[in-house]
Amino acid sequence: MSIRATHEIHERRFGRNLGVGLALLAFVVIVFGLTVVKVTRGDFDAMMANEEQN
Amino acid sequence: MSDVSINSAIREDEAGFGDFFALLKPRVMTLVVFTAFVGLVAAPVPVHPVVGFCAVLFIALGGGASGALNMWWDEDIDRVMRRTRNRPIPSGKVAASDAMAIGLGLSVLSVTMLTLATNMMAGAMLAFTIFFYVVVYSMWLKRLTPQNIVIGGAAGAFPPVVGWLAATGSMAVEPWLMFAIIFMWTPPHFWALALFMRGDYDDAGVPMLTVTHGRRATRQHILIYTVLLAVLAVGAAFSAIGGPIYLAASLVVNLMFLRGAIRIWRRDEAAAEADNFAVERGFFRLSLLYLFVHFGAILVEALLWPYGLGGWG
């Protein structure tokens, strides 16, 4: 009997790894998008100005 | 030579990604997402769509984190109850320690990210929500008092407040009205469930009202809370989050809900057994619609506001 290359468990593990990978990718995209919005709106400039005043 | 050592690490029931996702209680998360979104939109400060999306996402993640920590802590109860015995930990797919690690990790991540995306107040309120649900409700009071559902209701009622804070960064009366609606809605919703999920809470040793004070007292409590809820929910129509659309929707749904509560109160166990708790089941289903209609109406009023149509003008 030949050894099967993939087992159902391997598929499940692949699914799990893919899920984690996509979740991390989504997180990177979200943080990038958020940073772009904050920089464009000048949120950080306002924060720096506040700190300088204090 | 054998392959025993290789196969020893393989478990047939190894968890998939979906099992880990189930730790976050996705169905509860939909309620969190919806109510937090309404809190955010109803606030009188415009929010950038990306920031709003991130705020709702991280509030949902915080809700999911507290769900995972709740499953970790309540493993022994979940194992006994029919409704929960297929959850990832009691079914053996996810280790309790993994659930705890995921819960703690996501708690820190969600609070940090919400603070960075919006403001400190929103982050602090999300942290308090997680603390309240996990420590005050799950660890402390759930197994101690028959009013556990009332306290748990408070934990589930925070998301619109967090959403509001994410938009404004300051407190007002209106988010607490939304809080109060969910807070008062939770007990009749869960007590109706406890009436027709008989035995579950008995077996688990959770001091549910049906167990400690009996089913007659539970029926009375459902009616009392429903009357108080109706007064509160209809009264909210005359606040800044209400308006004519909200008032009309609230009146209709509250009349239906009150009718259901009265029917539950008037029934005895024999009548309920005879039709397999049809009235109680119907009341439970209606309670889901109840919350959706109220928050949906608040959302509609808020969305119409810029066009001069929302609220009382």
Side-chain angles (χ1 to χ4, degrees):
Chain A
M1 203 176 111
S2 63
I3 299 171
R4 279 173 59 196
T6 55
H7 186 272
E8 195 265 331
I9 284 173
H10 296 119
E11 285 169 22
R12 218 179 309 172
R13 280 180 185 171
F14 175 72
R16 206 165 64 190
N17 296 340
L18 187 69
V20 172
L22 289 175
L24 286 173
L25 186 70
F27 184 66
V28 170
V29 170
I30 285 164
V31 171
F32 179 70
L34 196 59
T35 310
V36 168
V37 169
K38 293 238 165 210
V39 169
T40 320
R41 287 198 317 180
D43 286 17
F44 295 118
D45 297 341
M47 222 157 65
M48 296 286 273
N50 268 344
E51 273 178 19
E52 274 172 22
Q53 269 182 358
N54 294 331
Chain B
M1 201 174 131
S2 78
D3 61 356
V4 170
S5 60
I6 297 167
N7 287 337
S8 62
I10 295 176
R11 291 180 49 205
E12 285 295 327
D13 57 352
E14 213 174 83
F17 186 74
D19 296 310
F20 286 103
F21 185 66
L23 283 176
L24 310 184
K25 298 192 177 179
R27 268 193 292 182
V28 178
M29 229 152 68
T30 56
L31 179 73
V32 171
V33 166
F34 182 54
T35 56
F37 176 69
V38 173
L40 191 104
V41 175
V45 180
V47 180
H48 191 284
V50 174
V51 176
F53 171 79
C54 289
V56 173
L57 180 75
F58 295 129
I59 296 169
L61 209 58
S66 50
L69 289 170
N70 169 270
M71 282 203 203
W72 157 67
W73 186 260
D74 278 347
E75 181 205 355
D76 54 336
I77 299 177
D78 288 351
R79 214 176 280 282
V80 179
M81 287 174 35
R82 263 179 302 151
R83 188 169 66 86
T84 55
R85 65 171 59 138
N86 290 326
R87 283 179 176 176
I89 303 176
S91 64
K93 286 181 177 164
V94 176
S97 55
D98 286 352
M100 186 192 70
I102 289 170
L104 287 176
L106 289 182
S107 296
V108 173
L109 181 79
S110 59
V111 170
T112 309
M113 288 308 299
L114 183 66
T115 306
L116 290 173
T118 61
N119 56 69
M120 195 80 88
M121 284 278 277
M125 186 54 88
L126 182 64
F128 179 74
T129 305
I130 297 170
F131 168 80
F132 191 89
Y133 184 66
V134 177
V135 179
V136 178
Y137 169 65
S138 301
M139 293 183 174
W140 182 23
L141 294 172
K142 184 175 177 179
R143 302 175 193 224
L144 207 67
T145 164
Q147 296 302 319
N148 46 19
I149 287 305
V150 180
I151 298 143
F158 279 115
V161 181
V162 186
W164 181 285
L165 280 174
T168 64
S170 61
M171 214 48 104
V173 178
E174 290 80 12
W176 292 106
L177 272 175
M178 290 186 262
F179 172 94
I181 291 172
I182 304 177
F183 176 68
M184 293 301 294
W185 164 88
T186 310
H189 167 78
F190 273 106
W191 283 330
L193 178 75
L195 281 175
F196 64 81
M197 290 298 284
R198 292 170 307 156
D200 250 18
Y201 295 100
D202 278 317
D203 298 342
V206 177
M208 200 64 165
L209 199 67
T210 43
V211 182
T212 57
H213 290 67
R215 306 173 69 79
R216 184 72 247 151
T218 307
R219 292 175 185 279
Q220 285 167 353
H221 272 71
I222 288 175
L223 181 62
I224 293 164
Y225 270 83
T226 305
V227 171
L228 294 174
L229 173 65
V231 173
L232 177 81
V234 175
F238 304 100
S239 72
I241 52 169
I245 297 167
Y246 175 94
L247 180 63
S250 181
L251 278 172
V252 171
V253 183
N254 274 290
L255 282 173
M256 290 165 70
F257 211 46
L258 274 170
R259 181 174 164 268
I262 292 169
R263 287 178 73 196
I264 285 182
W265 173 63
R266 290 173 68 175
R267 269 151 75 90
D268 57 17
E269 290 314 305
E273 299 254 5
D275 63 6
N276 195 24
F277 296 90
V279 174
E280 289 78 4
R281 287 175 200 274
F283 184 81
F284 179 77
R285 280 195 297 273
L286 180 63
S287 69
L288 297 170
L289 182 74
Y290 182 97
L291 208 62
F292 179 76
V293 166
H294 276 87
F295 276 81
I298 294 171
L299 183 65
V300 170
E301 296 282 6
L303 291 174
L304 290 176
W305 181 260
Y307 307 101
L309 296 167
W312 295 104

